[in-house]
């Protein structure tokens, strides 16, 4: 049951991050889920040592959703930088 919740929360976090970063039109539901789940890992990796906050995507909590959202925004920001430099 935990992995189903992780997919749902990851999808929500990825969708919100893609709307904030202006990439919602080019991303589908699968990519939103992937970005949200990977963003959760990145968010926990950043927030743990810096702030001492951990959030799990496997159990629905506001903290876990916020951390996944911030990590997904960071991931999409890095992707935008790489893609912009590659086009030039």
């Amino acid at each position: 049951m935990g992995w189903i919740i992780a997919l749902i929360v990851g999808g929500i976090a990825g969708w919100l991050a893609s709307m904030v970063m202006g990439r919602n039109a080019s991303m589908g539901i699968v990519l939103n889920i992937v970005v949200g789940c990977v963003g959760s890992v990145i968010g926990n990796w950043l927030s743990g040592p810096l702030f001492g906050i951990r959030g799990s995507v496997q159990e629905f909590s506001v903290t876990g959703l916020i951390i996944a959202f911030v990590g997904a925004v960071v991931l999409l920001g890095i992707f935008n930088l790489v893609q912009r430099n590659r086009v030039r």
Side-chain angles (χ1 to χ4, degrees):
M1 186 72 173
W3 64 275
I4 295 172
I5 295 172
L7 292 177
I8 292 170
V9 173
I12 292 170
W15 173 62
L16 291 173
S18 68
M19 286 185 1
V20 167
M21 298 300 288
R23 298 193 56 89
N24 196 27
S26 65
M27 295 177 58
I29 189 167
V30 174
L31 197 53
N32 281 336
I33 292 171
V34 170
V35 165
C37 290
V38 172
S40 175
V41 171
I42 292 171
N44 276 312
W45 182 66
L46 291 173
S47 69
L50 294 176
F51 304 111
I53 301 172
R54 293 275 182 200
S56 175
V57 180
Q58 292 182 348
E59 52 194 40
F60 185 75
S61 67
V62 176
T63 307
L65 182 63
I66 291 170
I67 289 174
F69 169 73
V70 170
V73 168
V74 168
L75 179 64
L76 286 175
I78 292 169
F79 183 74
N80 285 342
L81 287 174
V82 168
Q83 189 176 19
R84 186 180 318 148
N85 288 337
R86 190 179 69 178
V87 171
R88 291 181 185 181

